[in-house]
Amino acid sequence: MRKVAQIMGMPISIDIPQCSDGAVFTAAFDRLREIDERFSTYKPESEVSRFSRGEIDEYDLSGELKTVIKACQEASDRTDGYFSAWAAGVFDPSGYVKGWAIAEAGKVIEEEGYQTYCIGAGGDILARSDGDKKWNIGIQDPKDKSKILNTLSISSGAVCTSGSYERGAHLINPKTSQPASEFLSVTVAGPDIIWADILATAVFVMGKKGVKFMDAQSDKGYRLSAVVT
Amino acid sequence: MAVAIIGVLGLVARHPDDGAQLSTPTGGTAAAANMPSSNSGSVQSDNTTSSTTQTSSSGSLKDGTFTGQSEFTPYGTVKVAAVVSGGKITDIKFLQMPGPAGHSKEVTAFAEPYLKGETIQRQSSRIDFVSGATTTSEAYEQSLQAALDQAA
């Protein structure tokens, strides 16, 4: 069965082939909603919003937020600052939270006893299989959304695409404060969704030198699946 | 034939991510950018139509035109019909799309070709999920799945 829910400002799809119990899907979606309540920069009363306004003392932060802050710092260090939760001048961990939230939803599904599933949230896909199931993940052509550039057949892993928005908003390079403009989209595939998502963003912002940066990631199993200019 | 459907809206409407600053969209795109509202709580839709993507290996869709149920969104109603011919989806008809007031019409005109094109493309490639820097249209997916369930 596959279900969709609108969370974090986007439709999130969960496919669990062997599961016909709606409660499992609800549990996974609820975990995503819980994360959104705490981390959404669109919700003025979220913990992140209150923290960004200086309304919470560092010592009173939830364990989850502390973990995410630390993880964002590490992500910045590991990408030479190209991935940054502080690029906008105010703390915005959304780029990290998205991949992490998907991983958390996956944990809920596994705790319910299902090891074969796939979660799709915009550009981020988390696939798991404990048997013969292979998930076919299409990489969309940013120049023509009715077209698929390439299809990856994955048992277990993550596929993350970072890209410029069609009209208006762009990802800003934290080093130059200019919109990243060398690529239309970057797709990274690898074992862990959080890191694949961070890499896709960092490489997108880096531009062409991101391709070389990815060479150093290949021994950990991360690769560039697509780059569109 | 296994069919898994995700529609595509050609919009700027994604939750800002990746710790990078988003510059504000200008002009008429601002309204389109806000279309799936990203500042509200989640829409509880996971208790309506669920998509069954398992089909028997010998099964294919029945020929004909199958109409999905109306899916209600804050911006209007979405209702699609699937045209099946030779066991495959050959066309999608938009019986109802959000509009016509204000920006919705612009969104609809822009989104329809993409929504249609992507479904037909994905079906022939047997793709389960699509990775792309765009949002998907949940209402479209649910209405279409309801239509396909009748064709199965």
Side-chain angles (χ1 to χ4, degrees), chain A residues 144-206:
Chain A
D144 181 349
K145 286 163 190 65
S146 67
K147 290 199 165 43
I148 301 293
L149 291 173
N150 193 16
T151 304
L152 304 178
S153 188
I154 294 180
S155 297
S156 289
V159 180
C160 295
T161 298
S162 202
S164 57
Y165 296 99
E166 266 199 298
R167 297 185 272 179
H170 294 281
L171 287 174
I172 301 289
N173 182 334
K175 311 246 182 187
T176 63
S177 298
Q178 298 302 310
S181 58
E182 289 181 53
F183 295 142
L184 278 184
S185 75
V186 168
T187 303
V188 169
D192 176 70
I193 184 135
I194 301 174
W195 189 231
D197 193 358
I198 290 168
L199 284 175
T201 304
V203 169
F204 182 85
V205 170
M206 285 176 193

Side-chain angles (χ1 to χ4, degrees), chain A:
Chain A
M1 192 153 82
R2 173 189 284 216
K3 282 183 171 273
V4 179
Q6 182 83 3
I7 306 170
M8 297 179 175
M10 62 187 156
I12 299 183
S13 298
I14 299 180
D15 193 335
I16 313 174
Q18 289 130 358
C19 180
S20 53
D21 180 2
V24 175
F25 293 83
T26 301
F29 287 129
D30 281 349
R31 178 65 178 128
L32 291 162
R33 290 178 187 116
E34 184 182 62
I35 291 171
D36 195 39
E37 283 300 313
R38 186 189 302 285
F39 289 97
S40 174
T41 54
Y42 283 118
K43 297 182 202 287
E45 288 313 303
S46 72
E47 195 186 354
V48 161
S49 295
R50 289 184 288 120
F51 171 65
S52 294
R53 292 194 301 268
E55 290 168 21
I56 313 179
D57 191 278
E58 212 180 301
Y59 300 101
D60 294 330
L61 295 177
S62 67
E64 268 194 355
L65 181 48
K66 282 189 200 160
T67 302
V68 165
I69 291 170
K70 186 152 176 279
C72 286
Q73 186 58 59
E74 278 171 23
S76 183
D77 292 343
R78 290 169 72 185
T79 60
D80 190 27
Y82 282 93
F83 176 92
S84 172
W86 293 269
V90 69
F91 178 63
D92 180 359
S94 311
Y96 176 85
V97 168
K98 185 164 166 231
W100 172 67
I102 294 168
E104 288 292 299
K107 280 187 196 167
V108 169
I109 295 168
E110 287 174 27
E111 277 158 22
E112 295 282 348
Y114 298 94
Q115 309 303 321
T116 299
Y117 61 89
C118 193
I119 303 172
D124 286 9
I125 311 291
L126 170 60
R128 282 280 178 267
S129 172
D130 69 345
D132 299 331
K133 173 75 182 175
K134 286 231 192 286
W135 297 97
N136 291 325
I137 311 299
I139 299 170
Q140 192 177 58
D141 183 344
K143 295 182 189 177
D144 181 349
K145 286 163 190 65
S146 67
K147 290 199 165 43
I148 301 293
L149 291 173
N150 193 16
T151 304
L152 304 178
S153 188
I154 294 180
S155 297
S156 289
V159 180
C160 295
T161 298
S162 202
S164 57
Y165 296 99
E166 266 199 298
R167 297 185 272 179
H170 294 281
L171 287 174
I172 301 289
N173 182 334
K175 311 246 182 187
T176 63
S177 298
Q178 298 302 310
S181 58
E182 289 181 53
F183 295 142
L184 278 184
S185 75
V186 168
T187 303
V188 169
D192 176 70
I193 184 135
I194 301 174
W195 189 231
D197 193 358
I198 290 168
L199 284 175
T201 304
V203 169
F204 182 85
V205 170
M206 285 176 193
K208 294 189 176 70
K209 56 177 179 271
V211 178
K212 201 155 179 224
F213 176 80
M214 278 306 293
D215 285 345
Q217 306 297 321
S218 61
D219 61 341
K220 299 186 208 86
Y222 296 91
R223 57 208 178 276
L224 271 181
S225 296
V227 171
V228 182
T229 54

Side-chain angles (χ1 to χ4, degrees), chain B residues 10 23 28-29 31 39 45 53 60 65 70 75 84 89 93 99 107-108 120-121 129 144-145:
Chain B
S23 55
T29 60
N39 60 357
S45 61
T53 57
S60 61
T65 299
S70 297
Y75 303 92
V84 179
I89 306 167
K93 294 194 186 310
V107 162
T108 301
I120 292 168
Q121 166 74 18
F129 280 78
L144 179 60
Q145 188 59 51

